[in-house]
Amino acid sequence: MSVIRLIKKLLFELLKQEYQLSEKQALSIQIELNTSDSKDFGDVTCNAALVLAKELKLNPRAVAQQIKEKIEAEQKLSQYIASIDIAGPGFINIFFHENTWQTIAHELFTHHNELFQPEQSEQAKPRKKYLLEFVSANPTGPLHLGHGRGGIIGDVLANVLGFLGHEAHREFYINDAGAQIEKLGRSFKARCYQELEQPIEFPDDGYAGEYLIELAKECLEKHGNSLLEKEDYFFQEYAKEQLLEQIKQTLDRYGIQFDRWFSERQLHKSGAVEQVIQLLRDKGLVYKKDDATWFQSTKFGDDKDRVVKKSDGTLTYIAADIAYHKDKFDRGYDKLIDILGQDHHGYVTRLKATLESVIEKKDCLDVILYQLVSIKSCGEQVKMSKRAGTFEKLEDVIEKVGTDVARFFYLNRKANAHLDFDLDTALKKTEENPAYYIQYSYVRTNSLFEKAGKIDALRLFVEALQTGDTKKERIKEAASHVDQAAIALIKKISSLETVLSTVASTYQTHLLSYYTLELARMFHAYYAGNKIINPDDIETSKSRLLLTKLVQQTLDLCLDLLGLSKPKRM
């Protein structure tokens, strides 16, 4: 167990023993690592006195004084602590000994990634099986700008959940059944006939994008005049398969690999949709009205009942969605996560209502809604028009700024806030571009080790750092020289555990991008204020190189979780 976890555990056990905490009190007590710039708040802050004061009928500061004395009397805990202050209405601010931070620095090197993951013990919370469904664009055209945002949120969240020991699967739901595919077929057939100079009316509601003209030209090269003999189904299938392949290629370039591509058409063919309607019928949750079949979704919080089968026998998308989500749950997942655009806001209650009705289990589905994306250049919003040579597709953004920058910029804002993708900043190779800045800090760590390795007095130490040789006493010795200037960075590194657990519980993936950028800035500031390599002071150089290694290890992990590359040079 890490020192920080141990201190928190010992403090909580002391409070539990001395004050017989109720479940509510236990959940309300917070023991948090403080990473603020202010030194007044201690290394760890605890709100226990504020939580307990009302029941004890004492002033919170008086309770805080009691707790302070109990901590100081507990040797197992007090050995790590230099001092304890009581602040404000009764917050307990705990300051660690410098040698406590030196121990933490050493364990960060020896057990780096493990310290950010849940403990492997019988008492630890059981791992969960997650299914994340995201992007799921209709295969009727290229991925647009908004799909880039949903894609990165889902991909990074799956990375974090997997790192924390959960089983996280990515799934793309292919909407390859129904009216939109028939419309695609009619639109594509018209474009093919137009290329063959055959008289045909383009559908009024057809897909008018230029991408179908380009696809028609490719199809004509393969099939020639024989296209005039093809059935309507051919045009549906050809266009759908080609556009789906383009979607897969764009996502691959964007760094997203799905574990499964789930076909809506196969869902219908399997009879699952009709089966789920029968299940609802057996439960007395459907009724007939105007020759249509209605689901009583209002019983589960929806604002009105929904049609699952039209009067002409056509199944609605609601029916398919019920069947699809039931299928997900039947595959043994503990938690389903759907990532959707904000325009699906009204759909969420409906979806949760339908799912609750068929599996009789609440809270198995979470939905993340993300806001719109716009491209900005020179302070102006760029119109999304391929015809005008500007942006309409995710592929355009990736082509212009690169995968790393596209992923980071799409993630670097709360999902529920509108995202202005600043094209000018994204194209810069300076510290103004956060993706570049983070990667540059990673490159800087490599260059420092390369430079230090050329100094005879540091060469073996650098080798031990680079090979992860945890048995070398020289590493422990270097950790014992960690000074106050380094402690802020060590705190920041240690706080990644909380960041990752928060991302996993709240799905706020932007917190990881914020953290990574903050760490890079702190390291650059430390580099500017402290000479890392000094041939005239080898012991200090070793200590600072150890700190540089801790930063490098942490950036390495964060870049992996964000799905960004780790360049050796820039």
Side-chain angles (χ1 to χ4, degrees), residues 131-194:
L131 180 60
L132 294 88
E133 184 219 328
F134 53 100
V135 183
S136 296
N138 292 339
T140 54
L143 296 177
H144 60 64
L145 294 176
H147 291 129
R149 194 170 194 190
I152 188 65
I153 291 170
D155 195 46
V156 172
L157 180 55
N159 285 342
V160 171
L161 290 170
F163 174 76
L164 294 178
H166 301 291
E167 193 174 336
H169 294 165
R170 299 163 174 83
E171 186 156 297
F172 187 113
Y173 181 58
I174 308 168
N175 294 276
D176 55 356
Q180 77 274 11
I181 296 298
E182 293 174 4
K183 182 166 66 175
L184 173 66
R186 293 195 304 273
S187 304
F188 181 58
K189 180 179 180 178
R191 291 308 190 199
C192 289
Y193 273 54
Q194 287 172 351

Side-chain angles (χ1 to χ4, degrees), residues 55-78:
E55 187 171 318
L56 295 174
K57 297 179 180 179
L58 292 172
N59 182 289
R61 287 186 65 90
V63 179
Q65 182 62 36
Q66 282 184 8
I67 295 172
K68 175 184 175 182
E69 292 170 3
K70 292 177 187 298
I71 292 172
E72 291 169 342
E74 177 56 62
Q75 174 60 27
K76 287 182 181 178
L77 189 53
S78 62

